[in-house]
Amino acid sequence: MVGGGVALVNVQHFENWGDSGIADHSQQTDTSADVDTDERNHQAYVQQLENSRLRLSQLEQELKRVRQQSIFIGNGYAGDQNPSAGGNGALAFDMDYARWLEEHQRHISDLRSAVNSHRGDNELRHLVDGVMSHYDEIFKLKSVGAKSDVFHMLSGMWKTPAERCFMWLGGFRSSELLKILGNHLEPLTEQQLIGICNLQQSSQQAEDALSQGMEVLQQSLVDTLSSTSLGPTGSGNVADYMGQMAIAMSKLATLENFLYQADLLRQQTLQQLHRILTTRQAARALLVISDYMSRLRALSSLWLARPKDQL
């Protein structure tokens, strides 16, 4: 953002310099015999250069103060950080996610084969634990990815369009997932029904709290970015402008925590569900979740491949 501030100030000051009489001086003919006029023009030209030099010096001092004031924005964010680092981080996560998804499909294939062939509970438990551990891995990858580019993680650009349509804070809604599973896990004991009902209720409450927090954050950002102290584009004090942007940056830093809390809720929901269900029920639940996500990806592929001339 500091670079953006510099550009604004440069445009403003160079526009002010456009009022100088340099152009008028260049239009004078060399045949003029009025020595006094030439001398006055020369003195005006020298004075204008001096004024420009002073303005440039003032600008450099002002920008120096801005950099010092906004250095806390984040470990050299004011200019020392590679601007492409975020993009590289997003690309690295996309590649990691593609590998994770491929491995996840292998886990699910093994689990499905075990369920269909009625393997023993011990073998089934091992496969279920393997899928659960693999889900833990994606949450770790997302945590690392958020530190590099939290916007990429929240937008879900690493998923298909249909999946993004149902995303909430960078992933699935735990409460909605529990609703989907409801019709696929019968028969359930009364204790299991109560456990799942309580889990769905607590998940919904946590989601509502996080959603409200995001709304408050967004409104706070709107208030900060629309502050009258910023002034119209290209005007206002540069230090005030950068101060306001630094405040906005500090507020944006909380986005990473929101994503972490949402993923923690998803992770804990899966773990709690695993504890409520039997091994065989947990296996079916994991297959249902995987099938639902696969169908969303298939829906995206069909939508993108549809004949465009029929629209």
Side-chain angles (χ1 to χ4, degrees), residues 144-195:
V144 174
K147 295 182 185 301
S148 174
D149 190 345
V150 68
F151 293 108
H152 184 73
M153 306 308 301
L154 286 171
S155 67
M157 294 307 295
W158 37 281
K159 285 186 172 289
T160 60
E163 288 178 290
R164 293 199 299 271
C165 184
F166 296 96
M167 282 187 69
W168 168 80
L169 283 181
F172 60 82
R173 283 183 177 269
S174 299
S175 59
E176 291 297 328
L177 201 64
L178 291 171
K179 290 180 183 178
I180 293 172
L181 291 173
N183 298 327
H184 297 272
L185 299 180
E186 298 178 353
L188 294 171
T189 67
E190 183 177 355
Q191 185 177 2
Q192 286 177 321
L193 285 171
I194 293 174

Side-chain angles (χ1 to χ4, degrees), residues 247-290:
I247 294 173
M249 285 290 296
S250 65
K251 292 179 179 179
L252 280 181
T254 61
L255 281 176
E256 185 180 333
N257 185 55
F258 274 105
L259 179 61
Y260 171 77
Q261 293 294 334
D263 274 346
L264 184 61
L265 173 61
R266 287 183 271 264
Q267 186 178 26
Q268 290 179 344
T269 299
L270 289 174
Q271 293 171 348
Q272 184 65 21
L273 184 66
H274 184 203
R275 286 190 287 267
I276 293 173
L277 301 176
T278 66
T279 298
R280 204 159 293 274
Q281 288 171 335
R284 289 204 303 269
L286 292 172
L287 292 177
V288 170
I289 295 172
S290 177

Side-chain angles (χ1 to χ4, degrees), residues 9-110:
V9 176
N10 282 342
V11 169
Q12 178 187 354
H13 280 265
F14 278 115
E15 286 178 349
N16 291 338
W17 294 349
D19 295 332
S20 68
I22 297 177
D24 293 336
H25 174 71
S26 65
Q27 294 174 355
Q28 292 178 356
T29 63
D30 294 334
T31 58
S32 175
D34 191 340
V35 177
D36 291 338
T37 300
D38 286 345
E39 184 176 355
R40 285 195 299 269
N41 287 339
H42 177 72
Q43 290 174 351
Y45 177 71
V46 171
Q47 185 62 45
Q48 287 156 5
L49 289 178
E50 179 63 16
N51 291 339
S52 295
R53 186 189 67 78
L54 290 175
R55 290 178 184 176
L56 180 59
S57 177
Q58 292 170 355
L59 175 60
E60 290 173 344
Q61 291 299 318
E62 189 174 15
L63 291 177
K64 183 177 180 180
R65 288 194 301 270
V66 170
R67 291 191 182 98
Q68 293 173 344
Q69 292 171 356
S70 61
I71 193 67
F72 69 91
I73 291 179
N75 293 333
Y77 184 87
D80 298 333
Q81 206 172 52
N82 185 347
S84 65
N88 291 338
L91 178 60
F93 173 81
D94 289 352
M95 296 174 63
D96 287 338
Y97 175 72
R99 287 191 291 267
W100 179 90
L101 186 59
E102 183 179 356
E103 187 176 349
H104 177 73
Q105 291 169 340
R106 288 197 296 269
H107 280 289
I108 291 298
S109 178
D110 292 341

